[in-house]
Amino acid sequence: MSDDGRALVIVDGANVVGSVPDGWWRDRHGAAVRLRDALAPYATAGLPGVPGPVELVLVVEGAARGVASVAGVRVESAPGSGDDLIVELAAGAAPDRDRVVVTADRGLRQRVEAYGARCVGPRTVRP
């Protein structure tokens, strides 16, 4: 992970994809690819309240595993629970680093906030 002063933005892929009922369940891998591509501009521009550039990590699980990284978006395939990997990434970052997790999952929010991360909802990265 980068520790060059950029904020670390970790996106809960399953939660963000699942926040819009657009048929994602028919092609979970394709939905993760579309999300990854939609996230790429945020790496430079940042998010509301999180100035760019940022280090952007998309965590995928299940049928979405194997999505490749692209410029600006590192994709991490969780070997098990995506939530567990997100917590691991948030906990492993330097404590003074700005860490933002994009999710609506209340349980996950509590877990990462215990490590000093802050959370924003899926609408932050989805229209």
Side-chain angles (χ1 to χ4, degrees):
M1 269 192 250
S2 172
D3 195 14
D4 57 8
R6 295 182 295 160
L8 173 62
V9 176
I10 306 166
V11 179
D12 180 352
N15 187 267
V16 173
V17 163
S19 70
V20 177
D22 62 0
W24 58 265
W25 52 89
R26 290 188 292 268
D27 181 11
R28 293 169 193 255
H29 188 272
V33 168
R34 289 188 298 279
L35 175 59
R36 177 206 60 199
D37 294 347
L39 291 171
Y42 292 107
T44 302
L47 303 173
V50 185
V54 300
E55 179 182 1
L56 201 90
V57 180
L58 171 62
V59 174
V60 296
E61 63 188 0
R65 284 188 193 111
V67 170
S69 298
V70 295
V73 183
R74 186 175 89 229
V75 180
E76 293 280 341
S77 292
S81 162
D83 289 3
D84 290 347
L85 179 55
I86 291 166
V87 171
E88 181 182 318
L89 292 168
D96 60 341
R97 186 173 189 196
D98 190 15
R99 291 158 286 158
V100 179
V101 175
V102 181
T103 188
D105 181 319
R106 285 186 211 144
L108 177 57
R109 284 175 172 252
Q110 290 176 335
R111 291 175 66 193
V112 297
E113 286 170 351
Y115 291 101
R118 57 190 170 108
C119 297
V120 297
R123 288 186 187 170
T124 306
V125 295
R126 298 228 31 183

